[in-house]
Amino acid sequence: MKKVLIISSEYTGHGHKSVHTSLLQAFESLYKWEIECKVINGFTLGGPDLIAAERLYNTCIKYFPKLWNNIFKFSFKNKNFINRHNSLTIKRRFLRIIKNYKPDIIVNVHPMFSGSLLNVLKKKNIDIKFIIIITDLITITKLWFDNRADKIISPSNEASEYMMKNGIDREKIVTFGLPVREGFYSLFSSKEEIREKTNISGTLKILLLNNSEKVKRLIYIINGLYSRFKCEVTVVCGRNERTYDKLREFFSSRSYSPTIIGYTNELPRLFHENDILITRSGPTAIIEAVNCLIPVVSMGALPGQEEENPIYLNRNGLGYNTSSTDDIFNKIDLLIQNNRENLIKIRENQFDYYGRNVREKIVKYIADSIL
C-alpha cells in the first residue's frame, strides 16, 4: 500500500484543515485499498514556540488585522530567512516521521512548510515526491513558491500567472482549483434546473457566516437585513461561544430573531437551503459556496492574504464585493431586483466555474504519480 503524508495545520484558519479533510475523504473513497494517508500538523514539528505561534493566529486576525498584514508582507521579503529558521526547528521531528512512516509522497497544504521541508529533504538527499497545494486564492505569499517541488497545484488561473511572474517554472504548475469537503456540491445538474428551482418569490433566506467578526457589527448587519428585506436569517458563530451567547441574549428580547447556531457539521445543508451567503472572503468559504451554487456577498477580507478575493468574486461573476457594511444591503438589493435575476445569473456563473468539483481530479492526479 502506498503512503501519502499530508502536512497541514489545525489552528491557522479554516482553509488548511478543510483542504486536508477533503483530500482524506477523496483518498478514502477512491483508493481505500491502495493508498494510506497520514496528516501531520506542521506546527507540532517545531515544538512549543511554533505551536504558540499557530495558536495566536485567530487572535491576531480578529483583534490586530493590521499587524497580521505586516506579518504577511514580512513573509514576502524574508522568505529564505523564514525557511532556514523553520528548517532548523522542524528537522529532528520531521526526519523521525519520515523514518517511521516511510511516505511515497508528501503533500503540503501550508505555506510555512514548503521551502523548510524541502530544505531538509534536499540536505539529507532524501528522494520523496513533494507536491504543494496552494490554499490561498489570489494574494499568495511567496513562502508557497519553490521550484524544487515536483508539482505545485494552483487554485486559480490568476494564481498560476502570478507564480510564473515570480520565478516558478511553468511546467511545475498544474491549475485545478481548491478541493472542498464532502457535501459541498450542487443540487442542480443543469442551468435549466437552476432557473426552474431558484427561489424567486418566497421569503429570502440569508446565511451569515461569522469569521471572527465583532458582535456589534453582526448585530448591525442582522438588524439591517430584517429592516430592509422580507427574510429569514441564519447566523453560524462557529466555535466562538462568546459571540453565540451575546447574539442569543441580544435577540431574545426582540420581536424578530435570527436562527443562531454555534459550531456545526451542517454547513453543506445550510448552503443548500439558503439563497444568499454573507461571509468574509476566505478562499475556502468562497469555493465551498461556489460548489453549492449560493451567491456570495463579501463582508470584507483579511488584509494581506485575502484582500483580492472580493475582487475575484466580482471579476468571475461569483458574487459581490462590498465597500462598506451598508453596501452589503445594496448588493442584496441588486441580487433580488427583477425577480432575483442577478441571483440566478450568479448561480449560473458558479455552475460554469472551472474550479468547481475538482477534489477527485486533484486526488487522482496525486495518486497517478505514485501508483
Side-chain angles (χ1 to χ4, degrees):
M1 182 175 280
K2 298 295 184 178
K3 294 182 179 181
V4 177
L5 179 64
I6 301 173
I7 309 296
S8 184
S9 68
E10 190 72 20
Y11 301 105
T12 56
H14 174 68
H16 307 291
K17 187 173 181 178
S18 176
V19 168
H20 84 235
T21 300
S22 73
L23 297 176
L24 291 176
Q25 290 170 342
F27 274 116
E28 173 71 14
S29 173
L30 298 173
Y31 300 99
K32 184 174 183 179
W33 308 112
E34 300 171 86
I35 296 176
E36 173 189 334
C37 294
K38 182 182 183 69
V39 177
I40 293 293
N41 179 353
F43 287 89
T44 63
L45 298 174
D49 291 345
L50 210 54
I51 291 171
E54 180 192 24
R55 294 298 183 110
L56 286 172
Y57 173 84
N58 286 326
T59 300
C60 187
I61 65 171
K62 182 174 183 178
Y63 297 106
F64 310 104
K66 291 183 180 179
L67 173 61
W68 174 252
N69 190 31
N70 291 333
I71 294 171
F72 185 80
K73 290 178 179 178
F74 177 84
S75 74
F76 273 71
K77 299 178 180 179
N78 298 275
K79 168 186 169 182
N80 292 335
F81 169 78
I82 293 170
N83 284 338
R84 283 196 301 270
H85 177 268
N86 282 349
S87 298
L88 295 173
T89 304
I90 66 178
K91 176 182 175 181
R92 181 171 56 85
R93 291 181 178 89
F94 177 54
L95 289 174
R96 185 188 304 147
I97 290 170
I98 294 298
K99 180 181 178 181
N100 293 335
Y101 187 62
K102 296 180 174 59
D104 297 284
I105 190 169
I106 297 171
V107 178
N108 177 50
V109 300
H110 198 287
M112 288 288 284
F113 307 107
S114 291
S116 56
L117 293 180
L118 284 165
N119 282 348
V120 176
L121 292 174
K122 300 308 176 184
K123 186 173 182 179
K124 292 294 183 178
N125 293 316
I126 299 172
D127 186 18
I128 300 176
K129 288 182 179 295
F130 195 98
I131 288 181
I132 298 167
I133 299 180
I134 294 180
T135 59
D136 295 315
L137 199 55
I138 300 295
T139 315
I140 305 170
T141 174
K142 293 179 182 177
L143 286 174
W144 282 113
F145 302 168
D146 203 308
N147 272 318
R148 296 174 297 176
D150 291 277
K151 291 292 180 180
I152 301 176
I153 295 178
S154 171
S156 67
N157 292 329
E158 290 88 339
S160 298
E161 289 295 324
Y162 181 73
M163 281 189 275
M164 285 185 281
K165 288 179 182 177
N166 284 274
I168 297 299
D169 298 337
R170 181 184 296 270
E171 62 271 17
K172 294 283 186 178
I173 302 169
V174 187
T175 306
F176 280 112
L178 277 174
V180 299
R181 296 165 293 166
E182 286 180 0
F184 292 97
Y185 59 84
S186 169
L187 297 178
F188 310 120
S189 57
S190 68
K191 289 184 179 180
E192 289 72 25
E193 194 175 359
I194 290 173
R195 297 186 198 103
E196 289 172 6
K197 296 186 178 180
T198 293
N199 172 22
I200 63 170
S201 58
T203 299
L204 191 65
K205 295 183 178 181
I206 301 173
L207 178 62
L208 178 55
L209 192 60
N210 175 43
N211 303 100
S212 302
E213 297 296 329
K214 294 180 179 178
V215 173
K216 185 177 179 180
R217 188 183 188 213
L218 292 174
I219 290 173
Y220 183 86
I221 293 171
I222 294 165
N223 285 336
L225 293 173
Y226 277 110
S227 66
R228 293 186 60 157
F229 309 106
K230 180 185 177 183
C231 65
E232 296 174 2
V233 179
T234 301
V235 184
V236 177
C237 300
R239 298 186 187 277
N240 194 324
E241 295 180 6
R242 180 175 177 275
T243 298
Y244 176 82
D245 291 338
K246 284 188 171 294
L247 288 179
R248 284 180 62 87
E249 179 184 359
F250 181 87
F251 287 104
S252 64
S253 58
R254 299 300 189 275
S255 59
Y256 57 88
S257 178
T259 300
I260 302 170
I261 301 172
Y263 178 78
T264 178
N265 290 317
E266 296 296 318
L267 275 183
R269 176 182 61 80
L270 293 170
F271 278 31
H272 291 143
E273 291 179 353
N274 285 274
D275 303 309
I276 296 170
L277 173 66
I278 302 174
T279 184
R280 195 188 75 200
S281 293
T284 303
I286 288 176
I287 302 305
E288 286 176 344
V290 168
N291 273 262
C292 292
L293 307 187
I294 178 171
V296 181
V297 175
S298 170
M299 61 193 297
L302 182 65
Q305 70 194 66
E306 295 178 0
E307 61 190 23
E308 292 186 54
N309 292 351
I311 300 170
Y312 186 81
L313 278 174
N314 276 12
R315 187 186 301 135
N316 289 276
L318 307 174
Y320 287 132
N321 185 16
T322 56
S323 58
S324 65
T325 300
D326 285 331
D327 196 32
I328 292 172
F329 312 125
N330 298 332
K331 292 305 190 291
I332 294 176
D333 280 329
L334 282 177
L335 283 171
I336 65 176
Q337 67 186 10
N338 299 325
N339 293 320
R340 304 182 183 175
E341 177 183 355
N342 287 327
L343 191 151
I344 294 172
K345 179 60 179 175
I346 286 178
R347 297 186 94 180
E348 291 177 336
N349 292 340
Q350 292 175 333
F351 185 84
D352 288 335
Y353 179 65
Y354 67 89
R356 193 167 67 88
N357 295 337
V358 301
R359 182 183 67 171
E360 282 73 20
K361 296 176 185 176
I362 291 173
V363 165
K364 286 179 180 177
Y365 183 84
I366 296 170
D368 287 345
S369 70
I370 56 175
L371 290 176

